[in-house]
Amino acid sequence: MSDIDDELWSAIGDPVRRRLLDLLLAEGVGTPTGLSDRLPISRQAVTKHLGVLDRVGLVHATPMGRERRYEVDEAQLSRAIRQLNEVGRNWDSRLDRIKRLAEEIQKQRRD
């Protein structure tokens, strides 16, 4: 298994940050003011959440006048998706082993 980026997943784990990613993916770009208009949180809170996403590389900011325009870094998002898929495969494998062990225990009890 490749290394899982805990900092990346900690950033994605927050529901507000996932919603921000959804909005940015749907619209291509967004500013803290525009994004805060669509969420039940302040512009300052949006800016803090975007800062977390920026630190892990999921979004990048471009200065635009007094604000910054944010957009998703698709390469980093693809990396996150690959990690999630790998974690899913590993858990599927673990659950299959548990199922086989449980079936074997049941079989031994019947015999």
Side-chain angles (χ1 to χ4, degrees), residues 5 20 38 76 81-82:
D5 186 337
L20 285 169
R38 304 179 75 204
Q76 185 72 328
I81 291 167
R82 284 192 306 275

Side-chain angles (χ1 to χ4, degrees), residues 12 38 40 52 57-60 78 80 94 98:
I12 293 173
R38 304 179 75 204
V52 171
L58 282 167
V59 300
H60 294 292
S78 293
R94 290 174 184 148
I98 291 169

